[in-house]
Amino acid sequence: MRVRELLADYHIHSKYSPDSESEILDIISTARERKLKHIIITDHYELADEHANTIDIDTYRKEMERYSLPVGVEFGWDGVKELIVDTKKFDYVLLSHHYVEDPINQESYKNYLLRLYDIMKRFDGYHALAHLDFPRRFHTDKEPFSIELYDIISEILRLLIKQGKSLEINTSTVELYGEPNPDIEILKLYKSLGGRNITIGSDAHNLNQIGRGIERGIEILKELGYNYILVLDTEWREAKI
């Protein structure tokens, strides 16, 4: 059976992340097997007490360049710790915020969004905003963000567009509850506000997860009227979906 070609996976973790053991060569080999045209490895660099993790950027960069890969990172910030990293050293920066307080409900969703919005207003050294409705993953019933929160979400998306950044479609949750992060309603809102720039990633933490949900994520984007995603060659360009 012919394996269908997948356009891109721009959210993959390797052994440089504390929650992955994947070797770079194994990631590249697996991506080739799965017919992925473009990949970026985006290991965790976290400025947050609970998830703190740093990378020796020079060593990391040499490793990626050795295999002719863009140098990516998932940069997590709690908005509190001192910003001590120059993200310009990376070719692709995914901005993440990973803290969600218990109990996980609409109130903690709201607090998460307010913190994220504050972080975005204070920091623009990134290319794409990762998994916007991230806390939904951990809700007992995987409850979507309430319509009452859409004013805040709209402000986040408007700021993203104003800053000239991209919105990541994180497909790790397709297998969890049938929608990506962010979900279909938020993707509709982004488009209605004039949002165009999309990147896509599986959030793979092991080899089996590379490329997961990407095909369905592309289908959803097409169903919503999106015509392309962004990929990075020597520079960013639009790739038709």
Side-chain angles (χ1 to χ4, degrees):
M1 185 178 73
R2 184 176 179 273
V3 178
R4 185 170 178 178
E5 187 174 76
L6 298 174
L7 188 52
D9 189 342
Y10 278 7
H11 195 149
I12 301 172
H13 295 277
S14 79
K15 65 181 180 180
Y16 286 93
S17 291
D19 49 5
S20 176
E21 298 178 356
S22 300
E23 298 286 343
I24 307 297
L25 269 176
D26 292 335
I27 290 171
I28 293 169
S29 176
T30 301
R32 284 178 182 154
E33 289 171 8
R34 295 182 185 171
K35 303 291 185 184
L36 274 159
K37 289 182 70 176
H38 302 269
I39 66 166
I40 300 180
I41 294 170
T42 51
D43 282 304
H44 289 292
Y45 196 120
E46 293 277 346
L47 294 180
D49 288 330
E50 188 176 349
H51 302 281
N53 183 68
T54 59
I55 298 169
D56 184 313
I57 299 175
D58 292 335
T59 300
Y60 184 70
R61 185 168 193 94
K62 286 176 184 174
E63 181 87 349
M64 298 305 162
E65 290 176 342
R66 179 182 172 193
Y67 299 108
S68 300
L69 292 173
V71 185
V73 69
E74 182 178 5
F75 180 68
W77 188 36
D78 58 7
V80 177
K81 276 200 156 184
E82 183 183 359
L83 279 170
I84 55 170
V85 58
D86 180 7
T87 56
K88 292 184 179 67
K89 293 183 177 181
F90 298 97
D91 301 316
Y92 178 57
V93 180
L94 272 171
L95 177 62
S96 296
H97 181 57
H98 288 118
Y99 177 68
V100 189
E101 68 267 38
D102 291 321
I104 297 174
N105 52 29
Q106 294 296 331
E107 186 64 26
S108 58
Y109 284 2
K110 179 180 180 180
N111 293 336
Y112 165 87
L113 290 170
L114 291 172
R115 287 193 302 271
L116 179 61
Y117 184 50
D118 177 65
I119 286 167
M120 290 172 63
K121 286 190 293 185
R122 294 159 55 202
F123 174 74
D124 71 351
Y126 68 100
H127 297 92
L129 178 64
H131 44 55
L132 171 55
D133 54 358
F134 171 77
R136 184 180 174 186
R137 297 183 187 183
F138 307 99
H139 190 283
T140 304
D141 301 316
K142 308 299 182 278
E143 185 177 286
F145 279 39
S146 165
I147 194 69
E148 280 76 27
L149 298 178
Y150 272 48
D151 284 347
I152 305 172
I153 294 171
S154 294
E155 289 306 307
I156 287 172
L157 295 175
R158 287 191 182 97
L159 180 58
L160 193 72
I161 294 165
K162 181 180 178 182
Q163 291 177 332
K165 310 301 185 184
S166 300
L167 181 67
E168 181 205 45
I169 305 308
N170 188 300
T171 59
S172 64
T173 53
V174 169
E175 63 186 20
L176 190 62
Y177 53 76
E179 293 188 274
N181 287 135
D183 68 21
I184 289 169
E185 292 304 315
I186 295 174
L187 289 173
K188 288 178 181 176
L189 176 60
Y190 179 60
K191 193 169 190 297
S192 74
L193 293 171
R196 295 166 48 88
N197 296 334
I198 298 280
T199 63
I200 195 164
S202 67
D203 209 343
H205 284 76
N206 61 57
L207 298 177
N208 289 334
Q209 295 174 343
I210 292 172
R212 63 175 169 174
I214 297 290
E215 187 172 349
R216 180 57 187 144
I218 294 289
E219 287 174 355
I220 289 170
L221 287 172
K222 290 168 75 171
E223 289 164 6
L224 295 177
Y226 290 93
N227 299 313
Y228 66 86
I229 62 172
L230 295 183
V231 296
L232 179 62
D233 294 321
T234 53
E235 58 186 23
W236 288 98
R237 66 175 176 86
E238 299 172 3
K240 186 171 175 56
I241 56 175

